[in-house]
Amino acid sequence: MKIVCISDTHGEHEQVSLPFGDVLVHAGDITAHGTRNDFLNFIEWFASHPHQHKVFIGGNHDTYLEKEPDEIASVAASHGVSYLNDSGIEIDGVQFWGSPITPRFFDWSFMRDEEDIHHHWALIPENTNVLITHGPVWGVLDEVERAPKVTESTGCKMLAQRVKEVSPSFHIFGHIHECYGSRLIDKTQHVNVSTMNNGYQIQNAPVIVEL
């Protein structure tokens, strides 16, 4: 199975050239606090590609998606697209699970405080093969620059613990634009697929993972 992954397009998805694969994944931040019409535009664009299966989650910029998840899920389904929101889908025997949740940072969308976030991670099934979250685990492709030569890890420690327990083959995420790349930790390949760079410009190529 060839999985084509993008994330953090922030309304500029039409600038992205997608290679062919079996499954197309968007790991959140589809818009920059976008409107209903922005999401309808994205779904039409997403659905227009030849990939047999198409899956997306939300991110902290996806304000309308958090407010109206049922409407967007219904529109997506009518276009043959799957919206995952602390939920999963089986594709050709492969178990996918998706969640938009990230640790609290100001008051953006799909963010949770430390005392609440573990409830979301507990939902991840033990048999998950491909985990899609908007943000990274703590300490893996999660560093942001707070000052010149001063970086800070911003991933989730509780998610790191759950990923270690579940041990999916792939953990696909974005959120931290400046950490595009891949790293193998234990048996899980962590893949930051942020399409925009830190200057909010489309720069990074879609990532293909094979299972």
Side-chain angles (χ1 to χ4, degrees), residues 20-97:
F20 181 73
D22 303 300
V23 182
L24 178 58
V25 169
H26 195 300
D29 276 2
I30 293 162
T31 66
H33 304 293
T35 65
R36 178 178 185 271
N37 285 339
D38 290 329
F39 279 99
L40 298 183
N41 171 277
F42 165 76
I43 290 170
E44 289 188 6
W45 174 84
F46 205 56
S48 71
H49 291 84
H51 308 72
Q52 185 176 0
H53 305 279
K54 305 171 187 73
V55 177
F56 73 94
I57 66 170
N60 61 293
H61 281 261
D62 293 326
T63 308
Y64 188 84
L65 184 56
E66 184 176 41
K67 291 180 178 178
E68 300 293 343
D70 293 341
E71 177 193 8
I72 297 302
S74 177
V75 173
S78 72
H79 285 73
V81 173
S82 298
Y83 167 51
L84 301 185
N85 183 10
D86 281 337
S87 58
I89 185 173
E90 180 180 329
I91 300 175
D92 296 337
V94 176
Q95 302 292 335
F96 289 75
W97 186 267

Side-chain angles (χ1 to χ4, degrees), residues 167-197:
S167 192
S169 297
F170 290 98
H171 177 209
I172 296 166
F173 57 93
H175 190 41
I176 310 302
H177 297 191
E178 53 264 62
C179 286
Y180 173 82
S182 180
R183 188 178 302 168
L184 180 65
I185 305 292
D186 297 324
K187 296 181 180 179
T188 299
Q189 192 75 37
H190 296 257
V191 192
N192 184 324
V193 300
S194 296
T195 307
M196 279 191 170
N197 61 20

Side-chain angles (χ1 to χ4, degrees), residues 3-22:
I3 307 170
V4 178
C5 308
I6 59 175
S7 184
D8 297 84
T9 51
H10 294 282
E12 304 295 335
H13 46 267
E14 292 181 358
Q15 295 185 32
V16 182
S17 178
L18 295 172
F20 181 73
D22 303 300

